[in-house]
Amino acid sequence: MTVRYKLGCELSYDVKAPTVFIFNIELARLLRHQSVTERLTVTPDLERRTYVVPDINNRYFSVEAAPGPLNVLYEAEVTLDVFRADPQTVHETPLSQVPLDIMPFLLPSRFVSSDRLAGFANREFGALPKGHQRVTAICNWLYENIEYRRGSSNEQTTADESLILRAGVCRDFAHIGIAFCRALNIPARFVSCYAYGLEPRDFHAVFEAYLDGRWWLFDGTRQANLDGLVRIGVGRDAAEIAFASPFGEMEPGPVKITIEHADGSPEKPGRTTDAISTEEPAPHAGAN
């Protein structure tokens, strides 16, 4: 079943000195993001440089802003066609069969201290049945043991620091989940997205685990619909897919995020228990 969403964001800045901005707010170019219509408006109208990352399809654009106000408005409509499966049929990919281009998602990164959390992860989850159900158990643990608390972390907080604090926001939940997966030899990566069902509306962070030759979505916060996550970008951790990276002196203004059914229909109660993917299988990877 496909669903069409109307979504977007509005960002504003008070630029104090010449500043280069790199933005990652546009929808990733995925086969399961169908019939996309979009409009990007930058005020004042500045020259843009653009780049689409090969294979993962993250879209970046950059502007150089002079002192004064800067406003960025992104509007889009997209038909989301998720892939569903029975979680019990999704198994782990043996390490010997993990494609080499996915190997970076097995290693520690700036905010994902999987090496430091390996002992903890193996004690808590190492004996559980392998597969989608084990990653779901990780998300259950996050939901039950980490408090969702705004202001409890910042852009420098690492997974091990969030675990010690036992509090964080969606970014921190994703980093801990990724760290536990990598410690168990499950490739995992950070995902930024527009999230249907999230209140209040905001950019949302979840993670994907590589199982049975495919990337599957997980959200330890349980705050949005897995089958309503419209991807912006993926990376080893949050450092690679910040929605805005300014290089200069500026003050950010309010951030406004929207996502709703394009036909205006209300949200349906309940959330899916299916395994959900919006990524195509790796062509060079075989399922178990």
Side-chain angles (χ1 to χ4, degrees):
M1 177 181 177
T2 61
V3 179
R4 189 158 184 83
Y5 292 105
K6 181 179 180 181
L7 56 85
C9 66
E10 187 171 359
L11 314 175
S12 61
Y13 302 89
D14 182 9
V15 181
K16 304 295 186 181
T19 300
V20 173
F21 290 84
I22 300 174
F23 293 101
N24 178 213
I25 59 174
E26 299 168 285
L27 301 185
R29 291 178 176 167
L30 306 179
L31 292 177
R32 293 188 174 273
H33 289 175
Q34 301 173 357
S35 304
V36 176
T37 61
E38 55 189 349
R39 182 174 66 177
L40 176 65
T41 306
V42 179
T43 308
D45 188 12
L46 302 173
E47 181 181 357
R48 300 175 211 158
R49 295 182 299 142
T50 63
Y51 178 62
V52 180
V53 182
D55 298 325
I56 60 175
N57 298 303
N58 295 354
R59 300 166 64 193
Y60 298 92
F61 74 91
S62 173
V63 297
E64 184 174 1
L70 174 68
N71 293 280
V72 177
L73 176 63
Y74 177 65
E75 301 168 290
E77 285 195 20
V78 57
T79 298
L80 180 63
D81 177 23
V82 301
F83 179 82
R84 299 175 182 270
D86 180 346
Q88 296 188 34
T89 68
V90 180
H91 309 290
E92 290 184 18
T93 301
L95 196 58
S96 61
Q97 297 179 22
V98 172
L100 292 179
D101 61 330
I102 289 174
M103 286 298 181
F105 300 108
L106 280 167
L107 304 175
S109 57
R110 171 67 179 86
F111 297 113
V112 177
S113 38
S114 52
D115 50 345
R116 296 182 181 179
L117 299 184
F120 184 94
N122 277 281
R123 286 194 301 272
E124 289 288 333
F125 313 109
L128 297 180
K130 295 181 178 181
H132 193 283
Q133 296 174 89
R134 177 153 69 159
V135 185
T136 297
I138 289 173
C139 290
N140 292 343
W141 189 95
L142 291 171
Y143 183 74
E144 294 166 1
N145 291 276
I146 305 296
E147 178 188 355
Y148 190 94
R149 187 196 312 160
R150 293 183 180 275
S152 60
S153 62
N154 58 40
E155 66 277 5
Q156 300 300 322
T157 304
T158 61
D160 54 312
E161 292 170 338
S162 297
L163 182 62
I164 292 171
L165 184 62
R166 293 296 176 101
V169 293
C170 60
R171 173 186 187 275
D172 307 300
F173 278 69
H175 282 156
I176 300 173
I178 294 168
F180 286 164
C181 285
R182 291 182 188 173
L184 297 166
N185 293 328
I186 303 170
R189 64 188 187 182
F190 192 93
V191 181
S192 62
C193 55
Y194 294 97
Y196 186 74
L198 182 69
E199 292 294 344
R201 300 289 198 234
D202 203 347
F203 290 113
H204 195 40
V206 297
F207 71 97
E208 288 179 329
Y210 186 80
L211 305 163
D212 255 354
R214 192 182 199 122
W215 290 101
W216 300 88
L217 285 160
F218 295 90
D219 182 6
T221 72
R222 303 280 174 77
Q223 293 200 359
N225 299 347
L226 277 182
D227 52 359
L229 301 179
V230 185
R231 191 170 105 193
I232 301 171
V234 295
R236 291 176 297 173
D237 56 35
E240 296 186 345
I241 50 173
F243 71 86
S245 300
F247 298 86
E249 185 180 350
M250 59 85 219
E251 290 183 3
V255 176
K256 181 181 178 181
I257 309 295
T258 59
I259 180 169
E260 59 189 15
H261 286 156
D263 63 4
S265 60
E267 180 180 351
K268 295 180 180 179
R271 290 178 177 166
T272 183
T273 57
D274 295 336
I276 298 295
S277 173
T278 58
E279 184 70 276
E280 299 308 301
H284 48 293
N288 294 341

